[in-house]
Amino acid sequence: MAIINMTMQRHSTILEMSTVTKEIMRKHLNIYHKCEEIQRKTLDITHPHYAATLNNIGNVYSQQGNYEKALEYYHKCEEKQRTALGIIHPDYASTLNNIALVYSDQGDYAKALEYYHKCEEIRRTVLGVKRYNEQFLVSLILPMH
């Protein structure tokens, strides 16, 4: 009986944490959308901060499992970064990586690989082959997830 009660308490706690997490993500999303609106009115829409906000919105949608919206914002970010930063920039590479992660989560591995390869090419160019290989090895040892 004690085991059943402990299990029920754990499930209850997990559900409560899930509800809290969803509420936090909803609040973050509202804040990011307000930032995006203000930045759109006050900044040049090619400004890197505007692109970063679009990326942050994409991140929240991705965490929520809303992959269509995540891709929408990541692609908007990609477009702004391409204009503001150029295609040989670490932030642009990170956005391509985010897009690849979403495609991977959706099971579209061909599309994910396409974006991973673009990202990898930029990172090799920016970091140089030796430094890129060091970072790649560290990423294998210390996964981000």
Side-chain angles (χ1 to χ4, degrees):
M1 189 66 162
I3 292 173
I4 293 172
N5 285 339
M6 286 175 46
T7 302
M8 290 175 67
Q9 286 174 344
R10 266 195 218 122
H11 288 298
S12 176
T13 302
I14 290 169
L15 287 173
E16 288 173 21
M17 288 171 51
S18 176
T19 303
V20 169
T21 301
K22 287 178 183 178
E23 181 62 22
I24 290 169
M25 283 196 289
R26 188 185 66 73
K27 286 180 181 180
H28 284 184
L29 197 55
N30 286 338
I31 291 167
Y32 286 137
H33 276 296
K34 286 177 185 174
C35 286
E36 189 261 342
E37 184 180 331
I38 291 167
Q39 289 174 335
R40 196 172 355 98
K41 292 176 182 176
T42 60
L43 295 175
D44 180 353
I45 60 169
T46 60
H47 195 284
H49 290 171
Y50 182 68
T53 299
L54 296 174
N55 185 67
N56 290 338
I57 293 171
N59 287 340
V60 175
Y61 280 127
S62 181
Q63 291 169 355
Q64 291 177 331
N66 189 342
Y67 298 126
E68 286 182 34
K69 288 297 259 184
L71 285 173
E72 175 187 334
Y73 279 89
Y74 286 148
H75 283 298
K76 286 179 184 180
C77 176
E78 175 194 11
E79 179 186 321
K80 303 302 179 198
Q81 287 175 329
R82 191 178 332 113
T83 302
L85 306 171
I87 61 170
I88 306 298
H89 193 280
D91 291 348
Y92 183 73
S94 292
T95 299
L96 297 178
N97 188 70
N98 289 342
I99 293 170
L101 289 170
V102 171
Y103 282 126
S104 179
D105 287 344
Q106 290 181 313
D108 189 345
Y109 302 115
K111 202 78 159 160
L113 280 172
E114 175 188 332
Y115 279 89
Y116 281 134
H117 286 303
K118 289 179 185 179
C119 172
E120 177 184 355
E121 185 178 317
I122 294 166
R123 287 182 174 161
R124 282 181 189 252
T125 300
V126 170
L127 297 171
V129 174
K130 182 178 185 291
R131 182 77 175 120
Y132 172 82
N133 289 338
E134 289 170 356
Q135 283 198 349
F136 177 73
L137 290 173
V138 168
S139 74
L140 293 176
I141 296 167
L142 303 171
M144 297 300 258
H145 294 284

